[in-house]
Amino acid sequence: MDDLIKYAPDLLAGFLENVKLSLICAVLALVLGTILVSMRVSPTPVLRGAGTVYVNIVRNTPLTLVLAFSSLGLSDTIGLAFSATPSTNSFWLVVFGLSAYTATFVCEALRAGINTVPLGQAEAARAIGLTFLQSLRLIILPQAFRTVVAPLGSVMIAMIKNTTVAIAGGYLMESAFVMRDTFDDTGVSIPIFVGLVIAFMAVTLPVGFVTSRLASKLAVAR
Amino acid sequence: MTEPGDPRPLVNLEGVNKHFGTLHVLKDINLSVARGEVVVVIGPSGGGKSTLCRLVNRLETIDAGKITFDGQELPAEGKALARFRSDVGMVFQSFNLFSHKTILENVTLGPIKVRKVSKSEADKRGMELLERVGIASQAGKYPAQLSGGQQQRTAIARALAMNPKMILFDEPTSALDPEMVQEVLDVMTGLARDGMTMMVVTHEMGFARRAANRVVFMAGGEIVEEAEPDAFFTNPRTDRARDFLSKILTH
Ligand SMILES: Nc1ncnc2c1ncn2[C@@H]1O[C@H](COP(=O)(O)OP(=O)(O)O)[C@@H](O)[C@H]1O
Ligand SMILES: [Mg+2]
């Protein structure tokens, strides 16, 4: 217990990094996932093909490899740099990798949602003269989002937990790494471990609760 | 260009063929619909009636032949196609209302997003149209809260809101409970009387006799017979039409 109190400020600072990663990646993954699913249902074969290939490759690659690719491949080899400060740079490389990875799950959740929207509504949208993008934005996606709020919540919970493998992308400031670092000094400390688990649950449980409440509130009656 | 007195047909199909894979669904269709004309398409299931409707607003493409609308060939894609579709209303058997939008929003979406009409103007006109089809009191409800007949009347109002040059109806009353069929047919009869150009796939003979200028009988992907409604129903010329009519008359 003393260990937990002693290292609490460090751990808290680390945990705030997890929260920061989560918030930024959530936004980016939702945006990128929406773009990907739009590609996957688009009438243009090239876009459809590109979306499918991207999703199937990235979704089936272990996250640690995606992050390693983002830091070793993109940063070290190609020279992609978000910042001159190494820790800031690796933060954004992790954001990049984790968003790119999570977006594929967002895409697939949304695609399942799109499949629940009756085809006739898309035809009716076309019949009144809406373009493909308009019917996607005004008719299909709003209904798809509402039906997959709960699955999207699960994707977000998985993503929040996935911020703890940021070390694979070279980012050393998040809480799980801080914890292991601390264990090197103190030996394994159960209170620290439990404290961190509770911190994560304090974030993930509400996400699950809120999204499942929203899901029933937003359900579209057909 | 769309004056009712204009002698050129509004829609003209010439030698139109359509396949689904190896299935030859429409065979050498020649058909024209004049401005203000009401054409009823009738025939056995699988005969190609829905496909014919869907070709006219290019929800399906054709393999051979030519379709013109208002003197122009149908645009192939993109903005021009969307603009063309906005001029041709379509009413589906299964209503296809937007489930997450209210009744009024279903009607005003097209005018606002496609015609760029202001919301207040679209709402005003939308309410007039809902009044006209008799469901103004339901304007704030969602489609799932309405009866089938009310939903179909909403779908008609949604089509009318675009000020279309023509409306296609694909079995608009086939999914309705019997007691709701008449309310929808009454709205359609009113439109026909007001001079709307209509192509209507239906087996409602009462409507055909009351409102149609012409009946087109389709079977096996071909137009088998075309006649005035009374002549067709009392004295069909072909065996296939006679056979079909005897079947639908028994129930
Ligand atoms: N999208 C499609 N793909 C494959 N076959 C189709 C499709 N739409 C219709 N068909 C077939 O085309 C034929 C004509 O169908 P349809 O136009 O719906 O006839 P109807 O409306 O007169 O019942 C049927 O045999 C039907 O199975
Ligand atoms: Mg049909």
Side-chain angles (χ1 to χ4, degrees), chain A residues 188-221:
Chain A
V188 174
S189 156
I190 297 294
I192 287 182
F193 190 76
V194 171
L196 203 50
V197 169
I198 290 172
F200 270 95
M201 284 174 56
V203 175
T204 52
L205 282 178
V207 169
F209 179 75
V210 168
T211 49
S212 61
R213 282 291 295 273
L214 266 181
S216 44
K217 219 178 126 203
L218 293 177
V220 182

Side-chain angles (χ1 to χ4, degrees), chain A residues 120-121 123 126-127 138 143, chain B residues 54 82 85 96 99-100 113:
Chain A
Q121 289 192 38
E123 294 204 324
R126 281 196 281 160
L138 299 167
Q143 296 187 60
Chain B
R54 296 163 58 81
R85 285 200 183 116
N96 295 347
S99 323
H100 63 311
K113 298 296 176 182

Side-chain angles (χ1 to χ4, degrees), chain B residues 31-48:
Chain B
L31 178 71
S32 66
V33 181
R35 287 156 218 275
E37 193 181 19
V38 176
V39 174
V40 159
V41 181
I42 193 169
S45 173

Side-chain angles (χ1 to χ4, degrees), chain A residues 118 120-131 134 137-140 142-143 146 220-222, chain B residues 54 57 59 79 82 85-86 88 90 92 96-101 109-110 113-114 116 144 158 162:
Chain A
Q121 289 192 38
E123 294 204 324
R126 281 196 281 160
I128 58 172
L130 297 179
T131 60
Q134 280 180 315
R137 187 164 55 81
L138 299 167
I139 307 298
I140 312 297
Q143 296 187 60
R146 288 168 187 220
V220 182
R222 295 215 172 86
Chain B
R54 296 163 58 81
N57 72 349
L59 283 176
K79 285 242 153 56
R85 285 200 183 116
S86 71
V88 183
M90 176 121 191
F92 302 84
N96 295 347
L97 295 180
F98 308 132
S99 323
H100 63 311
K101 301 262 178 206
L109 183 82
K113 298 296 176 182
V114 177
K116 312 292 180 199
R158 175 173 69 182
M162 304 304 290

Side-chain angles (χ1 to χ4, degrees), chain B residues 20-21 23 25 43-52 60 170-171 201:
Chain B
F20 284 115
L23 194 64
V25 183
S45 173
K49 306 180 299 295
S50 298
T51 308
L52 180 71
E60 300 284 357
D170 188 4
E171 304 210 30
V201 178

